[in-house]
Amino acid sequence: NAGVTQTPKFRVLKTGQSMTLLCAQDMNHEYMYWYRQDPGMGLRLIHYSVGEGTTAKGEVPDGYNVSRLKKQNFLLGLESAAPSQTSVYFCASQIGGGVNTEAFFGQGTRLTVV
Amino acid sequence: AQKVTQAQTEISVVEKEDVTLDCVYETRDTTYYLFWYKQPPSGELVFLIRRNSFDEQNEISGRYSWNFQKSTSSFNFTITASQVVDSAVYFCALRGGSSARQLTFGSGTQLTVLP
């Protein structure tokens, strides 16, 4: 079982460049999330989706856009990368909106913006 | 708004010592779940446990145990007879009734177990 797969695992960008991070899950989950992890701050929610074709802003959405055109994929875009976006990005999915639902995480994408 | 506080930024112990990682949370929801995740040096997030707000029984799983006290809004995690392989960052997280159903994470505790 693949679970949640993030592509790429590592990337170095120059300031101003754009890129898209791909999150793919094969568990038919409805809810998907993008978090960023910074030292001393835990994981913070960037954007999320509660189903195909829907997206919403999380705690730190500025500088990012997302799309959920297919249920299994959740894309995170950086239109003009900034050094402040240097972080480790985690995608997560869960089957639905139950409070007890377990979230499954990808392996993370380490992004450095120089 | 929800908040999770892990006041211990770093803890260092010698192998075989017991260690407790503290977690204090804030929420206005009456129904919520608490979680612990482990992040080893390889970077992935490993789910350890979840506990619902109505179940205050302590739980033990091998060398791991969890103490949930609603009266003090705490969900502490104890590792008994620590091992070098326990070295990792440990996150406490909370999920309440928000529409997003997202996890709110604490800032994590870096545990180093020395041989």
Side-chain angles (χ1 to χ4, degrees):
Chain A
N1 291 335
V4 179
T5 303
Q6 292 182 229
T7 309
K9 290 185 172 46
F10 302 93
R11 185 74 184 268
V12 178
L13 282 181
K14 293 183 179 179
T15 298
Q17 285 185 323
S18 63
M19 78 163 293
T20 300
L21 281 67
L22 170 64
C23 176
Q25 52 94 2
D26 61 0
M27 297 172 282
N28 202 35
H29 285 174
E30 290 291 338
Y31 284 53
M32 296 186 74
Y33 305 85
W34 277 107
Y35 293 88
R36 60 177 288 173
Q37 181 183 9
D38 300 296
M41 301 187 74
L43 279 73
R44 293 179 294 166
L45 182 66
I46 305 172
H47 284 279
Y48 66 98
S49 168
V50 300
E52 181 179 317
T54 73
T55 63
K57 294 179 181 180
E59 181 186 354
V60 288
D62 293 342
Y64 305 95
N65 56 74
V66 288
S67 65
R68 183 102 181 266
L69 298 179
K70 294 183 179 181
K71 187 177 183 179
Q72 63 268 33
N73 296 335
F74 193 29
L75 279 63
L76 178 71
L78 287 73
E79 290 188 349
S80 180
S84 60
Q85 294 177 304
T86 293
S87 188
V88 180
Y89 292 85
F90 283 97
C91 175
S93 73
Q94 60 195 49
I95 193 166
V99 181
N100 64 334
T101 303
E102 181 179 343
F104 294 80
F105 284 84
Q107 292 182 308
T109 296
R110 185 173 295 276
L111 174 65
T112 302
V113 183
V114 297
Chain B
Q2 301 178 148
K3 185 177 180 181
V4 176
T5 302
Q6 294 180 256
Q8 304 153 307
T9 305
E10 297 182 20
I11 299 176
S12 185
V13 299
V14 177
E15 204 169 21
K16 297 185 182 178
E17 286 185 354
D18 298 348
V19 57
T20 295
L21 309 182
D22 297 334
C23 173
V24 175
Y25 63 92
E26 297 175 29
T27 181
R28 293 182 179 179
D29 294 323
T30 54
T31 301
Y32 54 89
Y33 269 74
L34 295 161
F35 300 77
W36 275 94
Y37 285 85
K38 174 182 180 180
Q39 186 177 44
S42 51
E44 73 274 21
L45 285 163
V46 179
F47 166 79
L48 294 177
I49 191 173
R50 66 180 156 213
R51 171 67 66 199
N52 77 57
S53 52
F54 299 106
D55 183 0
E56 290 192 67
Q57 284 189 338
N58 292 337
E59 180 155 342
I60 299 174
S61 176
R63 295 185 298 106
Y64 295 169
S65 63
W66 290 268
N67 179 258
F68 176 33
Q69 292 197 341
K70 216 167 175 178
S71 60
T72 55
S73 297
S74 65
F75 187 43
N76 297 336
F77 173 31
T78 297
I79 301 174
T80 303
S82 60
Q83 299 177 359
V84 173
V85 294
D86 295 327
S87 296
V89 180
Y90 290 86
F91 290 100
C92 181
L94 167 71
R95 180 190 285 128
S98 70
S99 59
R101 293 292 195 259
Q102 82 275 19
L103 290 164
T104 298
F105 284 84
S107 56
T109 298
Q110 170 71 61
L111 173 65
T112 302
V113 182
L114 302 169

